Amino acid sequence: MTVSPRSTHLGLDLSDAGPHPEAWRTSGSEPHRLFDPERLRELVDTAQRATLDFVLFDDAFALHTSRNTTLRGRLDAALVSARLAPRSAGIGLVATVDTTHTEPFHVAKALQTIDHVSHGRAAWQVAWSTSPQVTAAFGRKQVQDEADAVAEADEAVDVVRKLWDSWEDDAEIRDVATGRFVDRDKIHRIDHEGVRFVVRGSSITPRSPQGQPPVVVRATSSPARAFAAHQADVVRIAVTDRADAAVQRAEIRAAAAAVGRDPDEIRVLADVLVVLGGTAAAARERLALLDALAGDARRPDGYAHVGTAAELAATVEDWTVTGAVDGFVLRPAALHTDVDGIADEVVPLLRAAGAFRDTYPGTTLRDTLGLARPASRYASAIA
Amino acid sequence: MTVPRKQVHLGAHFPGVNSTTVWTEPDSGSQIDFASFEHLARSAEDARLDFFFLAEGLRLREHKGEIFDLDVVGRPDTLPVLAALAAVTDRLGLVGTINTTFNEPWEVARQFATLDVLSGGRAAWNLVTSPDAFTGANFRRGGFLPYEQRYERAAELVAVARALWDSWDDDAVLGDREGGAFLRDVEHVGPHFQVRGTFPTPRGPQGHPVLFQAGDSGQGRDFAAATADVVFSMHSTFEDGRAFYRDVKDRLPALGRREDSLKILPATSVVLGDTAEDAAERARVIRRQQVSGPGAIAFLEQVWGVDLTAYDPDGPLPDVEPDVGNADITRGRVRHVKDPRPVVAAWRARAEAERLSIRDLVIAVTSRGGFVGTPTHVADEIDRYVQQDASDGFILVPHLTPHGLDDVLATVVPLLQERGSFRAEYAGPTLRDHLGLDRPAEGRAATAHLDQQPVG
Ligand SMILES: Cc1cc2nc3c(=O)[nH]c(=O)nc-3n(C[C@H](O)[C@H](O)[C@H](O)COP(=O)(O)O)c2cc1C
């Protein structure tokens, strides 16, 4: 499959009511429906109509510790993804799952199962935690610093990827003649004995449609950048401008090559906070209203687009064509307003400019991202 | 006026990893594709069943040091399957078996609260407690729990989960831009868990998900009486069922519980035919599909503790003596036989007397009964068991995926409805409604309530 170099990748952050801490308090937010799965399904429908690459759900075991917001409460992101899978098609479903307090064995089979249920549209955004609140909630570890938590996340991803490979694709044989349901030579114990984990394996779940669901990492610190270069299929970067994005992308690709990976098998996406308005002034007014509601709460950091749909489309096209990024994770400041703007205004402009697809190129998220499906490492070891 | 009949409760078990699931038939479908799960769940809901049920195993079984390849191997993860089923059903209860040894309270309480919210109040947790080190080898803490402590940890895990579910008031999610209700911090210090914090996930429509228990020891029955809303039992014959039923229900009054606050639902299978003879013949064919020749040899090996592949499954029982010291020949499955010698002696005597081959004998000794007959006969029997307190209903275990319950749902269930023993319509939206269970009052946990916080 060839994809025009001008075609961008677009993900959509559907966490909470939007990344702005006060998004839920603005008109139209339907706050009584914040935990209603049908509200999420409507948003996913919109994203799918716009053929966006994926929607993404943040998660953490504590209440929004990183963000000063008055909105409380969150559902388990993996189960939200699973709930949305049967009622969607084409679009990727990215669930954030922690590695600091979870078992890689549980994480592996959960993601594999979402991949089965969605016919190949699952992805995992890896989270780690340095929070004293979460540490106290689990009560079985000491608080870890970032370097330590990221090192553990790196090993957890290693364990999970081995478990994903532990069944070869054709392990189920149903050989009536010999009475064998599986070929056990194609199911492998991973026998992982690392620094932090000893896990025998195999997964209880057969290999999923994508083999390995894509792994998404937010490269927000220097340990996280090294981790991303080592393990991620999709890297999210926080940027200040196009030049910064280009530098970060080049660094990640170089770091990946240095650890023996093919940089073309990595997609680097810039986060952008999206505040749309009919005019640039109207968008600025919307943001001012949100900020005013927030009082002393902070608006999310990083690059923000505060302006018209046409301006955002131009930015997306410009950054993609110049190779600064492979695409964007759009973070609609208020979901109930900006998701429609993205789908109905920004995307049509991008399509008209030849800068974005108007169909899904295949059935899986890997197809959409243009990433190859990996073979099981155990299969290649034997062949 | 007629006395209202005791109501039958029915669940649909997705056939899984065990020797009763027949996979050699052309119409046996995928054990993994979501379409299989969706078919069973939708047809169960069309028939107004109480719930869909998923078992769990956290390590692939091994036999003679290798993955056991003769039965169905592999299954998807329990909770994501149930979350996905919540999207394609409206009323059906969604019961997930989740082990209490290999999970942490904060995480599992959050998952079940989420499932209850995502399903509109249909979540249930089947608590199983196996603590074996073989399974533990898949987890970072390994096989850390002695067998004697399995229910101690389970009880504490449930207590913490309840405190977390209770830490949000029912109306904590107000959708009120100005005001707010309250949620409470939880602090728990016990031998197995030290948990402190503000639970991030709202209380589900059921308050607490329904709690099932599956475990048969005296400790297991005590735990069920103290904790569970439903017992998933394996006592499916009439006399055995009645004895188990009385034993468990008699534990309730001392705990201040009413008898009907705990439902007892054994696993059972159903084989139907146009006549009794038809059904018996079908049952015979199914039993032979469930016990293949190699499967029969493997079953004997579990008891003998030695390799018996040289023996002909259609021939007489092995003439070698069992290896008393090799109880671990099969791992990842509960071993019931401690000293194999008396078992072997009894089987030899029986095989001799009844002229049974190895395969015939295995079919005979692994037979679990179940209901065999015409739809009318099976409906009569199910109703008799329930009206006479041998159970409160059944969890129906089909032998085929995913169509194995189609005939039962189409014929037996309407007959139960006709006689007024089974609902024709759901009485309410939640699984608690289907089972006639009270909804736990908010804030009932006796946990320290610190720091009241406004919520959105
Ligand atoms: C009817 C029944 C079904 C069970 N299903 C499961 C299961 O799906 N997964 C599992 O790990 N254990 C299962 N178990 C075993 C339980 O983990 C049980 O708690 C274990 O045998 C130890 O408790 P006990 O000694 O009280 O039986 C089941 C037990 C019974 C009686």
Side-chain angles (χ1 to χ4, degrees), chain B residues 55-56 97 99 128-130 147 150-151 214-217 220 232-234 334:
Chain B
E56 183 190 58
T97 300
N99 186 289
V128 291
T129 57
S130 20
Y147 182 72
R150 69 199 185 289
Y151 282 109
D216 199 43
S217 60
F232 178 34
S233 100
M234 52 187 186
V334 184

Side-chain angles (χ1 to χ4, degrees), chain A residues 59 74 102 106 113 181 201, chain B residues 69 77 102 110 138 140 200:
Chain A
D59 202 3
R74 219 180 228 178
T102 53
H106 288 319
T113 299
F181 185 79
Chain B
D69 56 3
D77 194 20
F102 304 111
R110 200 163 168 261
N138 279 340
R140 64 167 95 194

Side-chain angles (χ1 to χ4, degrees), chain A residues 272-292:
Chain A
V272 51
L273 177 75
V274 176
V275 187
L276 294 177
T279 63
R284 281 195 299 273
E285 251 171 60
R286 279 192 58 218
L287 183 59
L289 172 68
L290 282 163
D291 287 349

Side-chain angles (χ1 to χ4, degrees), chain B residues 309-321:
Chain B
T309 36
Y311 288 85
D312 176 3
D314 295 317
L317 260 59
D319 43 16
V320 289
E321 289 315 304

Side-chain angles (χ1 to χ4, degrees), chain B residues 63-64 68 70 294-311 318 322-323 326-330 335 340 347 358 362:
Chain B
H63 181 65
K64 296 190 287 191
F68 190 68
L70 299 176
I297 297 293
F299 180 82
L300 286 200
E301 287 174 340
Q302 291 181 48
V303 175
W304 256 261
V306 296
D307 185 297
L308 298 173
T309 36
Y311 288 85
D323 176 354
N326 195 13
D328 268 350
I329 187 167
T330 302
R335 166 105 190 226
W347 286 356
I358 288 175
V362 173

